[in-house]
Amino acid sequence: MATFQAPKGTYDLIPPYSAKYLAVREAISGPLRKSGYGYIETPGFEDVDLFARGVGESTDIVTKEMYTLTTKGGANLALRPEGTASVLRAALEANLHKAGGLPVKLWYSGSYYRYERPQKGRYRHFSQVGAEAIGSEDPALDAELIILADQAYRSLGLRNFRILLNSLGDAECRPVYREALQGFLRGLDLDEETLRRAEINPLRVLDDKRESVQKQLVGAPMLRDYLCEACKAYHSEVRELITAAGVVFEDDEKLVRGLDYYTRTTFEFVHDGLGSQSAVGGGGRYDGLSEMIGGPALPSVGWALGVDRTVLALEAEGVELDIPPATSVFAIALSDEARKVLFGAVTELRKTGVAADFSYGSKGLKSHMKNANRSGARFTVVAGERDLAEGVVQLKDMESGEQDAVALADLVATVRARLA
Ligand code: HAM
């Protein structure tokens, strides 16, 4: 018989390990939910042109990494490689920018797909938690997002991450810089593909990891020297606000992100324990994206943190998340009659909010006890015919090892009292 495996570059999340992923999503979204961000969910696929126009025709994501498909109806779709274009599309479609005050603040959590060469920390299916603040040009908003991401990582116990910060300028100053950089790059001894990249997206060349290229880049014009007054003032206010919040960052003039929509503030969260896939999260301002996808001018800013890489970063630091056991009470029946009674008791416990599980199947006490131990339950409830004849069940505290007989009628109240 043929057996199937998860497709290349993907992996399954399986208990108990999967609980880490839930905890990470919870920790990242927590600060957002407490800061006025509303939850948004969009489809897993979109019109392919949304990403081509939004993320950028010349980016690796669009040219090489998209999973595209043509439906039976002839629509050209792509599995979403990122969340920002989708979220902005949805906000525009629902007229959120007209409905209430700006900015529209949204957070999301989901699966993303990129046809990349798989390696540790780089997968073809991965998950992000992200935030977008749409329709407002205010450095405090950029600062808020950076501070909230920092807070999320710290709440998880992560310490060895760094925040890299840059400004990419705006529609006024970046074209001037772009031209200056192109002039410089044309004079270098570069291979054909890099020269081509210099014509389409010269800033990406600054990001080239090869030493032979980096050597030649010494003395290249730097964007910092070309920023217009408005961009400079904006950037210095972002820096001031996050500094005042006690968030430590590094200025990185070479930080260029892999998506074309960025303007002004850009940042990346990197972790040094991850090898080459060191970016655990990233984001920035995208003041022109709305117009690029057919909307009105809506200056916006956001980020996405990678859940997979955050889990790897936690492991690299040896951080053990404090994940409480999912089950509080495990009930084990020793006779047919006890099965009915204890199954009823489990249902009652669950109704009152106590997490409870039951000894399913007809295995012996020993194997049921094993399951009870594995569940991490604080209490076990065991009952056989003799107990029921006396109207009691045996309640055992798995922490102290103490056991006593409790009247069946008092079980729910007793358990709740002891758990409290
Ligand atoms: P991004 O930098 O492409 O930005 O992705 C954000 C994070 O997603 C990365 O830092 C990484 O942790 C994770 N990630 C990306 N690709 C992979 C992969 N192949 N395998 C595992 N993890 C991956 C964005 O997606 C932007 N939409 C962020 C943003 C939001 N900018 C403004 N708003």
Side-chain angles (χ1 to χ4, degrees):
M1 197 178 74
T3 55
F4 294 103
Q5 291 177 337
K8 186 174 172 191
T10 72
Y11 63 104
D12 304 306
L13 289 179
I14 289 160
Y17 188 66
S18 51
K20 277 196 197 187
Y21 282 72
L22 286 180
V24 165
R25 290 188 186 116
E26 190 72 19
I28 298 175
S29 60
L32 297 170
R33 285 179 275 137
K34 288 184 194 151
S35 308
Y37 290 76
Y39 179 65
I40 184 167
E41 209 170 298
T42 63
F45 48 78
E46 297 273 355
D47 188 320
V48 70
D49 289 336
L50 174 69
F51 301 117
R53 279 206 260 159
V55 176
E57 302 272 12
S58 74
T59 58
D60 282 352
I61 293 179
V62 168
T63 56
K64 299 180 193 157
E65 297 170 3
M66 273 205 298
Y67 284 90
T68 54
L69 60 115
T70 305
T71 65
K72 291 190 175 71
N76 291 320
L77 303 176
L79 299 188
R80 58 183 181 190
E82 64 105 41
T84 309
S86 310
V87 167
L88 188 54
R89 192 270 308 143
L92 289 171
E93 190 173 333
N95 278 318
L96 294 186
H97 57 299
K98 292 182 191 157
L102 295 175
V104 176
K105 301 209 288 186
L106 302 165
W107 77 273
Y108 52 94
S109 170
S111 290
Y112 298 86
Y113 307 86
R114 295 183 193 174
Y115 188 74
E116 296 198 77
R117 198 169 47 75
Q119 65 178 86
K120 188 177 179 198
R122 188 165 69 196
Y123 310 106
R124 291 179 173 176
H125 165 260
F126 56 96
S127 89
Q128 292 182 341
V129 174
E132 313 293 349
I134 296 165
S136 175
E137 188 184 284
D138 182 342
L141 207 48
D142 309 42
E144 167 175 287
L145 280 161
I146 294 170
I147 293 165
L148 292 175
D150 181 77
Q151 200 180 319
Y153 278 148
R154 291 196 181 279
S155 78
L156 281 166
L158 209 60
R159 291 291 173 269
N160 303 333
F161 64 88
R162 294 180 290 130
I163 302 174
L164 310 179
L165 184 67
N166 194 18
S167 172
L168 289 180
D170 63 8
E172 189 194 320
C173 55
R174 195 167 44 198
V176 182
Y177 170 67
R178 194 185 134 101
E179 207 154 299
L181 181 62
Q182 266 171 344
F184 175 86
L185 294 174
R186 283 184 196 125
L188 302 183
D189 178 24
L190 297 169
D191 60 275
E192 219 159 277
E193 198 193 322
T194 312
L195 279 173
R196 208 174 316 124
R197 187 171 316 141
E199 294 308 314
I200 301 167
N201 197 345
L203 272 74
R204 292 291 294 171
V205 179
L206 293 180
D207 216 19
D208 201 305
K209 300 281 181 288
R210 289 170 298 180
E211 205 180 317
S212 58
V213 176
Q214 280 302 325
K215 254 195 219 145
Q216 297 193 63
L217 289 176
V218 177
M222 295 308 292
L223 182 52
R224 175 194 38 181
D225 304 320
Y226 286 78
L227 289 184
C228 61
E229 287 311 314
C231 283
K232 267 191 214 162
Y234 195 96
H235 197 55
S236 82
E237 196 169 335
V238 173
R239 295 174 80 260
E240 226 171 87
L241 288 167
I242 57 180
T243 305
V247 172
V248 179
F249 62 92
E250 298 168 23
D251 292 303
D252 183 352
E253 289 155 19
K254 286 193 175 164
L255 178 70
V256 182
R257 309 248 313 120
L259 306 95
D260 276 354
Y261 49 60
Y262 290 111
T263 50
R264 292 195 168 169
T265 315
T266 45
F267 48 87
E268 221 155 67
F269 289 77
V270 295
H271 193 278
D272 296 321
L274 294 187
S276 65
Q277 301 307 310
S278 61
V280 287
R285 191 154 266 289
Y286 48 95
D287 293 341
L289 179 56
S290 175
E291 287 154 298
M292 273 147 67
I293 63 172
L298 282 173
S300 308
V301 58
W303 51 241
L305 308 188
V307 177
D308 310 72
R309 287 188 198 165
T310 301
V311 170
L312 290 175
L314 288 167
E315 286 169 1
E317 282 193 37
V319 177
E320 281 299 330
L321 296 178
D322 183 23
I323 298 172
T327 304
S328 298
V329 179
F330 198 100
I332 299 174
L334 301 178
S335 73
D336 280 346
E337 185 53 27
R339 272 174 64 79
K340 286 177 202 154
V341 172
L342 285 192
F343 186 75
V346 163
T347 303
E348 278 313 305
L349 281 166
R350 288 174 176 166
K351 270 191 205 158
T352 65
V354 176
D357 205 354
F358 183 64
S359 57
Y360 294 101
S362 53
K363 298 184 205 82
L365 174 63
K366 220 170 137 187
S367 110
H368 288 317
M369 274 315 287
K370 238 191 221 163
N371 286 339
N373 277 322
R374 202 175 296 143
S375 77
R378 170 77 189 278
F379 294 101
T380 56
V381 178
V382 181
E385 256 158 57
R386 224 181 348 159
D387 300 304
L388 291 186
E390 293 171 22
V392 299
V393 296
Q394 303 298 325
L395 182 62
K396 183 173 177 180
D397 186 328
M398 302 295 277
E399 252 171 44
S400 66
E402 275 166 41
Q403 180 176 323
D404 57 348
V406 171
L408 179 61
D410 301 336
L411 177 64
V412 172
T414 307
V415 165
R416 284 170 60 89
R418 289 189 191 176
L419 277 171

